[in-house]
Amino acid sequence: MSSFGSVSNTSVIIHPPGFYIVGFESFPFISVYFIFLAFVYAFSVMFNCLLIYTIAVNHSLHTPKFLAITNLAVIDVVLNTCTIPGMIKIFLIKDNFIPFNLCFVQMFVYYVFVGLESYALTILAYDRLIAICFPFRQNSINTVRSMSCIIIVTWCFILVLITFATSSMTRLSFCNSVRVFSYFCDYAPVFRLACNDNSLQWAVSSTLSVLNLGAPFIFILLSYVSILVTVFKMKSVDRRVKTLATCVEHIIIVAIFYIPLLVIFCIGLFSRAVDPEKRVLSLSLASCLPPCINPIVYSLKTKEIKIRTLALFRKTKVNSKI
């Protein structure tokens, strides 16, 4: 048997040496887009690392809310790192080949951290829900310990789910095309290339969409319904405005992350009405931009982070003069 395949008990499973990522081959002005992505990546890593550092060195920010924000920042850095450098490599070196095993590693990392991004936003919605709807019990319900447990549970859940999803791909044979029309080793475009039964992967893909996008988004919507009910029970208009203002940064990043992904996945997966080129461009923007925007939104809209970040810069400036 050659290195192109492995033998199962029932049939020959053909595994090619690798795949070719061809999602951007026909795009006009592709060089401009990749330059834009390079800036997005540098900006994302720099600001998320600054956010993580600011929270880490200030003990006053060691609260459940900022633990959840740190979780989101770590996820953002890894999410963009697993896709954007590979996309830039394709543009600079003109090498769009990715080895078979590395393809599934990239697939695993991407879907783990997209799922974690979704649940990280859900955790932040939970934090707002407890703070606004149960203000007198907030310190007993939402502790650093309980927030740590929630974050650990979501990580374990996503890791188990995506491990099963990715490992199921090894049962597929790829005996025809190995051209993946996406910007990375994307789950659905890869399993559609299989020349044997891929019904399990279709079921897994649909389940992942519901569990990692649909369910968290519904929880966030329901949490904001509860928040609005609580806010409109407040007698003071000024208090209503101040309470809703604490949710602005979260609402912004939820809209940026969920709306494009839900539209693309729902239309593309179930009706296949999305043009493949538009799907690739929209999906790449939807997954690459939020990690860049999230730290900016939280840094500008969250008073505590803004104060602590400015204090760090002033301290650094003073030390450099000494």
Side-chain angles (χ1 to χ4, degrees):
M1 188 71 191
S2 70
S3 61
F4 286 73
S6 59
V7 180
S8 71
N9 292 330
T10 56
S11 61
V12 175
I13 304 297
I14 301 172
H15 289 169
F19 297 93
Y20 291 91
I21 309 300
V22 297
F24 292 111
E25 280 189 348
S26 58
F27 280 16
F29 308 111
I30 193 62
S31 58
V32 176
Y33 183 60
F34 279 114
I35 292 169
F36 168 71
L37 285 182
F39 279 107
V40 165
Y41 180 65
F43 208 74
S44 172
V45 171
M46 181 175 66
F47 272 88
N48 277 297
C49 288
L50 176 62
L51 186 61
I52 294 166
Y53 177 75
T54 302
I55 294 172
V57 299
N58 289 280
H59 291 286
S60 62
L61 299 181
H62 293 181
T63 63
K65 176 184 176 179
F66 292 108
L67 178 59
I69 291 173
T70 303
N71 178 53
L72 178 65
V74 171
I75 292 164
D76 285 340
V77 171
V78 180
L79 181 58
N80 268 359
T81 299
C82 82
T83 53
I84 294 181
M87 294 160 69
I88 294 171
K89 184 206 80 169
I90 291 172
F91 169 67
L92 290 178
I93 308 176
K94 307 298 182 185
D95 177 16
N96 63 343
F97 178 79
I98 182 166
F100 185 83
N101 290 332
L102 187 58
C103 172
F104 290 106
V105 169
Q106 186 187 48
M107 183 187 295
F108 173 80
V109 173
Y110 175 85
Y111 278 99
V112 162
F113 284 91
V114 163
L116 286 172
E117 177 100 0
S118 183
Y119 279 96
L121 296 178
T122 308
I123 291 169
L124 285 164
Y126 162 79
D127 175 79
R128 292 294 83 211
L129 177 69
I130 299 299
I132 294 170
C133 297
F134 307 97
F136 299 111
R137 297 174 59 195
Q138 179 185 2
N139 292 334
S140 60
I141 297 173
N142 194 18
T143 63
V144 171
R145 183 176 180 180
S146 65
M147 181 61 77
S148 300
C149 290
I150 291 170
I151 290 170
I152 290 168
V153 168
T154 60
W155 276 70
C156 292
F157 174 71
I158 293 294
L159 284 169
V160 169
L161 198 66
I162 304 302
T163 297
F164 172 77
T166 309
S167 62
S168 72
M169 298 287 281
T170 60
R171 305 176 191 177
L172 298 176
S173 280
F174 301 93
C175 46
N176 297 315
S177 174
V178 289
R179 290 165 58 85
V180 180
F181 200 92
S182 187
Y183 62 100
F184 74 108
C185 261
D186 202 349
Y187 193 83
V190 171
F191 78 66
R192 285 172 182 156
L193 298 176
C195 51
N196 59 345
D197 180 34
N198 60 15
S199 55
L200 172 64
Q201 286 71 32
W202 268 108
V204 169
S205 182
S206 302
T207 304
L208 286 177
S209 298
V210 172
L211 290 179
N212 292 349
L213 290 176
F217 186 66
I218 290 170
F219 177 88
I220 291 170
L221 286 180
L222 292 176
S223 70
Y224 274 105
V225 169
S226 300
I227 286 169
L228 287 173
V229 169
T230 301
V231 167
F232 284 112
K233 285 181 180 178
M234 296 175 181
K235 294 179 181 180
S236 168
V237 175
D238 186 53
R239 191 181 169 197
R240 290 179 188 176
V241 172
K242 286 182 179 178
T243 303
L244 288 175
T246 64
C247 302
V248 170
E249 68 269 16
H250 183 251
I251 292 170
I252 291 170
I253 62 175
V254 164
I256 291 168
F257 178 75
Y258 279 105
I259 292 174
L261 287 178
L262 286 172
V263 170
I264 294 163
F265 275 115
C266 290
I267 297 175
L269 184 63
F270 297 109
S271 71
R272 300 189 185 183
V274 178
D275 178 75
E277 292 186 355
K278 291 178 181 177
R279 178 187 178 275
V280 170
L281 183 62
S282 301
L283 195 57
S284 64
L285 282 172
S287 60
C288 294
L289 281 182
C292 174
I293 296 170
N294 292 349
I296 301 170
V297 170
Y298 269 108
S299 296
L300 293 177
K301 295 296 296 180
T302 306
K303 185 180 178 181
E304 298 96 328
I305 292 179
K306 193 159 51 176
I307 292 169
R308 298 296 174 181
T309 303
L310 289 172
L312 278 175
F313 275 116
R314 289 194 191 102
K315 185 179 179 181
T316 305
K317 192 174 180 181
V318 170
N319 289 339
S320 65
K321 290 180 178 180
I322 296 174

